[in-house]
Amino acid sequence: MAFDLVFFGGTGDLVWRKLMPALFQAFRHGTLPEGGRIIGVGRDDLSDAQYRQSIQTKFEKVEGEKRPSSEEFARFADLLCYVRMDLSRPEDYAALQQRLAERQTDTVVMYLSTAPILFTTICEQLAAAGLNTPQTRIVLEKPLGHDLASNRAINAVVGKVFKEQQIFRIDHYLGKPSVQNLFALRFGNTLFEPLWRREHIANIQITMAEELGVEKRGGFYEGTGALRDMVQNHALQLLCAIAMEPPINAHADAIRDEKLKVLRALRRWTPETLSQHVIRGQYSAGSVDGQPVPGYRDESGVSPTSSTETFVALRTEIANWRWAGVPFYIRTGKRMAARAAHIEINFRPTPHQIFHTPLGQANKLVIHLQPKDGLELHLFATGQSKRGLGSTGQTLAPVHLDLDFDKRFGSERVGAYERLLLDVLDGRLNLFVRSDEQEEAWRWVEPILQHWATEPVGPRPYNAGTWGPSASSAMIARDGFCWGEEC
Ligand code: BG6
């Protein structure tokens, strides 16, 4: 299958940090379809050779094993070329059109990894230049807007130019192998499904913690914050994957219909829940891995009086038959104690105790997303042989079943962007977000943004290198639970 893949924002960070390395891995694994051409589009005046050279230099920063040898890069570089464009000039789109017409490939992918403010202009110009053919697919990187209205405005323009089946909205969390394993765990096995409901589950916790701060993205992050950056998209997609009903088949719309129902069933906010069930924080100076790090307000591009949140913890419920009354906790933040993303499914305690189990503990399934990718099932057992089962007050000890997917599948593992790019080339929409899902997610987070805008008290400070403000622990403690690392 011959393809042309056009990267708008072709000299930007995302392209060299994530997209090119992912394409190179697919090329190395032999999964990138033959006959491909990758076109970087940017404002700089570069020749193809200069563009290849700049990508090669950037590849030197790619982590060890994933870095190409110079011989491998030379073969990969044959696919790369560069087109200079001013994205507001119709003539430049006409020139791109001519460049694409040279080959008449089966598939053309327009990947918009520019600032979202340019999305509508690019789509309108693509249409004006006749570049929205049925062979064309468009990929949109987050953030898609900063609230419901701006998200709908982008979706409306894109929707005028492309059909929904041509639109690939990326949420890179859906490309992670661990998230696909979550679907496999739930819908490819029978073991957990009967237990996957309010009768057996006490609470569910989603944690997405980063050790890194805002790095060089202070300017962007100031206008974004953790709620828009991580909760509106990644966290809610994970929540959907956990809570959705089994889809009738594995087709994109069957899956997306079920996710949408979960988003629609999320408990609406009230003034009371907004003030008690949402905690925002901002990191102050502290230490991470033994190294001192500055506070958020001292990062470059950040206002010294900033009220942007770098941490959010919240509690919600899903108002449906399966989940009514089960708290779902979401927590995400930068400069936290560890880089760790996991989902904890906390089961209810046994209804009648004949053994002692460690105080407050019950069975738990931990789905590790990163850095480890695997499952951990926490059970209770006894190693004692002197006093048999009949003896009173026997104490059970916690034991774990530990499944390491990286070990099991090793080199077969495919990174998130590699998976998603191959899916775009193949036209598979399963791991991409539909416009109605995205709008529903914005509809749900918007009251939080509005509440914060009027609340005089800003985010609560937390020291870098910790698990966030103590109010986050207090919130969950009010329900009689605790975050995984505290129990
Ligand atoms: C991105 C956010 O979507 O996800 C970043 O914009 C964040 O702020 C990143 O660091 C986290 O992704 P991952 O895959 O490193 O967990």
Side-chain angles (χ1 to χ4, degrees):
M1 181 200 76
F3 68 86
D4 273 330
L5 169 52
V6 184
F7 284 134
F8 289 87
T11 52
D13 250 31
L14 185 76
V15 167
W16 70 262
R17 243 185 239 283
K18 301 274 188 193
L19 303 176
M20 286 291 183
L23 284 170
F24 170 71
Q25 289 308 315
F27 176 76
R28 183 186 254 176
H29 295 149
T31 46
L32 193 66
E34 301 264 313
R37 181 170 63 167
I38 302 163
I39 304 174
V41 165
R43 291 178 70 97
D44 303 340
D45 200 0
L46 300 177
S47 64
D48 288 350
Q50 285 169 320
Y51 186 59
R52 289 172 187 160
Q53 177 63 44
S54 85
I55 297 292
Q56 183 165 24
T57 314
K58 301 276 172 46
F59 266 23
E60 281 157 21
K61 296 187 186 149
V62 168
E63 50 184 298
E65 279 172 24
K66 296 197 170 160
R67 201 177 304 146
S69 66
S70 22
E71 182 272 324
E72 273 180 317
F73 185 80
R75 285 192 291 119
F76 177 67
D78 281 346
L79 310 183
L80 305 183
C81 56
Y82 182 78
V83 172
R84 182 182 176 282
M85 279 179 75
D86 174 337
L87 296 176
S88 60
R89 278 169 42 111
E91 309 86 280
D92 289 5
Y93 290 83
L96 176 65
Q97 200 275 338
Q98 278 181 8
R99 194 81 190 256
L100 295 174
E102 288 163 8
R103 296 202 333 138
Q104 305 271 358
T105 52
D106 312 324
T107 304
V108 177
V109 176
M110 304 288 184
Y111 196 123
L112 309 198
S113 79
T114 59
I117 197 162
L118 295 170
F119 287 179
T120 51
T121 309
I122 298 175
C123 284
E124 283 162 355
Q125 296 283 355
L126 287 173
L131 281 166
N132 56 339
T133 61
Q135 288 73 36
T136 305
R137 295 175 191 147
I138 184 142
V139 185
L140 304 170
E141 262 295 338
K142 71 173 262 284
L144 245 74
H146 56 273
D147 56 14
L148 178 61
S150 53
N151 176 258
R152 291 178 90 163
I154 296 174
N155 279 335
V157 173
V158 182
K160 265 195 210 143
V161 176
F162 294 99
K163 297 206 170 88
E164 186 66 35
Q165 309 88 277
Q166 296 176 281
I167 307 171
F168 291 71
R169 295 180 192 79
I170 289 236
D171 184 311
H172 79 278
Y173 263 69
L174 291 179
K176 288 184 189 279
S178 44
V179 177
Q180 285 158 72
N181 259 318
L182 175 55
F183 286 107
L185 172 81
R186 291 203 53 206
F187 308 129
N189 294 279
T190 52
L191 204 57
F192 290 106
E193 191 50 29
L195 305 177
W196 213 256
R197 51 201 329 108
R198 63 190 301 281
E199 289 82 356
H200 303 287
I201 293 181
N203 71 84
I204 292 184
Q205 303 178 9
I206 300 173
T207 295
M208 302 153 86
E210 296 183 81
E211 276 186 337
L212 290 178
V214 286
E215 308 299 294
K216 293 186 180 137
R217 297 161 76 223
F220 156 79
Y221 201 85
E222 267 292 83
T224 305
L227 188 75
R228 291 187 177 98
D229 192 39
M230 297 292 285
V231 177
Q232 185 275 339
N233 34 67
H234 307 320
L236 287 183
Q237 284 294 325
L238 292 180
L239 181 139
C240 286
I242 300 162
M244 67 194 264
E245 293 301 315
I248 53 166
N249 56 39
H251 293 154
D253 277 334
I255 295 170
R256 301 190 300 182
D257 287 347
E258 295 305 336
K259 286 196 286 166
L260 181 62
K261 285 187 207 159
V262 173
L263 293 168
R264 287 193 174 142
L266 284 173
R267 271 272 289 272
R268 300 292 123 178
W269 296 105
T270 64
E272 199 196 359
T273 55
L274 280 169
S275 65
Q276 293 192 3
H277 293 169
V278 188
I279 309 295
R280 60 173 161 159
Q282 187 188 71
Y283 64 83
S284 39
S287 80
V288 169
D289 278 341
Q291 299 298 317
V293 294
Y296 176 69
R297 292 179 178 184
D298 294 322
E299 302 274 16
S300 87
V302 172
S303 152
T305 56
S306 171
S307 60
T308 298
E309 80 288 357
T310 60
F311 172 95
V312 180
L314 60 83
R315 175 201 194 279
T316 187
E317 287 181 24
I318 298 172
N320 67 15
W321 196 277
R322 186 190 284 261
W323 293 116
V326 177
F328 282 71
Y329 303 101
I330 291 175
R331 163 176 74 155
T332 184
K334 295 209 181 274
R335 284 285 188 234
M336 295 186 65
R339 174 175 183 250
H342 51 250
I343 300 164
E344 291 196 9
I345 316 284
N346 289 301
F347 289 92
R348 292 188 187 278
T350 49
H352 171 65
Q353 300 245 345
I354 61 167
F355 300 115
H356 290 304
T357 47
L359 197 65
Q361 289 193 24
N363 295 141
K364 158 159 101 171
L365 176 69
V366 186
I367 301 161
H368 287 281
L369 308 178
Q370 60 193 32
K372 172 176 165 182
D373 174 8
L375 289 180
E376 233 173 66
L377 186 58
H378 294 223
L379 305 167
F380 296 101
T382 174
Q384 287 186 5
S385 52
K386 285 195 190 130
R387 293 201 304 157
L389 269 185
S391 51
T392 52
Q394 191 177 359
T395 299
L396 301 183
V399 289
H400 300 170
L401 282 173
D402 196 348
L403 204 57
D404 182 336
F405 290 138
D406 282 324
K407 236 188 229 161
R408 167 63 182 82
F409 296 108
S411 58
E412 292 166 42
R413 310 242 80 185
V414 170
Y417 272 105
E418 184 181 351
R419 158 87 288 123
L420 295 173
L421 282 161
L422 289 173
D423 281 359
V424 174
L425 291 172
D426 215 27
R428 256 197 315 272
L429 277 158
N430 298 28
L431 300 177
F432 296 85
V433 183
R434 208 167 55 191
S435 61
D436 48 6
E437 280 179 80
Q438 216 170 44
E439 288 177 15
E440 199 56 48
W442 275 117
R443 193 168 287 122
W444 186 75
V445 299
E446 213 169 54
I448 305 177
L449 293 167
Q450 285 160 358
H451 171 68
W452 285 347
T454 59
E455 199 192 39
V457 190
R460 295 161 198 262
Y462 62 97
N463 291 335
T466 65
W467 286 102
S470 56
S472 147
S473 306
M475 174 188 74
I476 190 166
R478 280 200 296 272
D479 290 338
F481 303 126
C482 47
W483 293 109
E485 77 282 352
E486 295 172 340
C487 299

